[in-house]
Amino acid sequence: SYKANGTDVCNITVTIQDAFNNPIAATTPTISVSGTSNTVSPCSATDANGESTCTLTSTKAEGKFLSIVTPVSVSNTTEYPF
């Protein structure tokens, strides 16, 4: 779990693949996080492996659920406890 102190950083990796599980490069995903008092960094563009990174910090102690907004919508994929 992460400390809800606004400085403990949760590193998030998003992997984007096509229907044949091939990585998709040069795509920048956007994410949303449930709950309140969150700070989410913009995600990086995906690399050759289809991976993008973002960070999350929060000052509110609660479970946070990550959703991918673009390029496809995937809701409540993972809980991050703060």
Side-chain angles (χ1 to χ4, degrees), residues 2 4 11 13 25 32 34 36 39-41 46 49 60 62 73 75 81:
Y2 301 92
N11 293 302
T13 301
S32 67
S34 68
T36 59
T39 302
V40 181
S41 72
T46 53
N49 296 317
K60 173 80 176 182
E62 62 187 354
S73 179
S75 297

Side-chain angles (χ1 to χ4, degrees), residues 33-79:
V33 179
S34 68
T36 59
S37 304
N38 302 323
T39 302
V40 181
S41 72
C43 295
S44 64
T46 53
D47 61 18
N49 296 317
E51 294 182 348
S52 169
T53 57
C54 330
T55 61
L56 166 65
T57 60
S58 184
T59 57
K60 173 80 176 182
E62 62 187 354
K64 311 288 184 177
F65 285 92
L66 169 73
S67 295
I68 299 169
V69 178
T70 61
V72 295
S73 179
V74 181
S75 297
N76 298 329
T77 57
T78 304
E79 181 179 15

Side-chain angles (χ1 to χ4, degrees), residues 15-25 47-51:
T15 303
I16 300 177
Q17 300 172 322
D18 65 17
F20 303 102
N21 293 323
N22 297 309
I24 298 175
D47 61 18
N49 296 317
E51 294 182 348

